[in-house]
Each structure stands twice: as C-alpha cells, then as structure tokens.
Amino acid sequence: MTTALAPHRAEPGPRFLDLAAAEWLKLWSLRSTGWSLLVAASAVLAFNLGKAWDNVRYWPDEPGYAEKFVADGIPLMHAFTTDACTVMMLAAGAFGALTVTGEYSTGLIRTTFAAVPPAGR
C-alpha cells in the first residue's frame, strides 16, 4: 500500500516589514539606545543655544540691523549650525557603532543571520 505524500509547500520568506520590526525591537532593547539619543540631542541643542546666545550677546545697536538680519535669511542659517551638524553626524556614527557592538555582545546577531540567511536582504 502506497500513500501519496502531500506536496511540500515552501514557507514564504521573511517580509521586509517583519525584519524591520525585529530590528526595531532589538535596537530598543539595548539600554544604551535611549541614553545615546538623549546625549546627542542635548549636545545639538547646546551648540544651537550657544550660537543663539552669541548672537544676542554681540548684537549690534545699528538701526535697521534686525530687519536686515531677518530679510537676509540669517536666522535660518543660525537655527542649525555647522557645529551642531558635525556633532549630529558624529553621534549618528557612534549610535551605529553602539548598535552593532550591542548586537554582537548580546549574541542577537545569530538570530538575525538565522532569520535571514542570505545577507542580500
């Protein structure tokens, strides 16, 4: 007596949203995530507040300077300074390094590679 085997159906591969949700959970499970984002945001705010204080402290008393300052678009240029941008880029690099080292130190990298063996995804 022979039994017919049901055709084997391949399970669907992981979807992008599932993988993104898993990475999001792993990222926020690290204790350093919140602290590093808080420190980076505080540093950027500190640089911008320092530039605002510098503008107020050395504000010229010439008549019409405020109108010219606004008309030239200088407040927008001072709203996010290059120093703050540099700090933000350094913080993003440090945040990425913390994420990768945290994933390797906790062993969750094995889970990532087990879920999605081909690294092309």
Side-chain angles (χ1 to χ4, degrees):
M1 176 188 226
T2 61
T3 58
L5 296 175
H8 177 65
R9 292 186 186 174
E11 291 198 24
R15 295 178 302 199
F16 176 75
L17 289 177
D18 297 334
L19 298 173
E23 293 298 323
W24 182 260
L25 284 173
K26 284 193 302 183
L27 174 69
W28 285 102
S29 67
L30 295 172
R31 282 179 278 162
S32 60
T33 300
W35 286 107
S36 60
L37 289 177
L38 181 69
V39 168
S42 298
V44 169
L45 283 173
F47 273 100
N48 286 332
L49 286 174
K51 185 64 173 179
W53 171 253
D54 200 37
N55 283 340
V56 168
R57 186 172 169 199
Y58 297 109
W59 190 264
D61 290 333
E62 319 173 357
Y65 182 77
E67 290 81 15
K68 186 175 183 285
F69 185 79
V70 172
D72 289 342
I74 296 174
L76 292 176
M77 184 176 64
H78 289 276
F80 191 69
T81 64
T82 54
D83 293 337
C85 183
T86 303
V87 168
M88 191 115 132
M89 286 188 291
L90 289 171
F95 185 68
L98 279 173
T99 302
V100 170
T101 56
E103 191 165 344
Y104 274 97
S105 68
T106 59
L108 286 174
I109 193 70
R110 291 186 296 256
T111 306
T112 300
F113 288 139
V116 186
R121 279 202 167 170

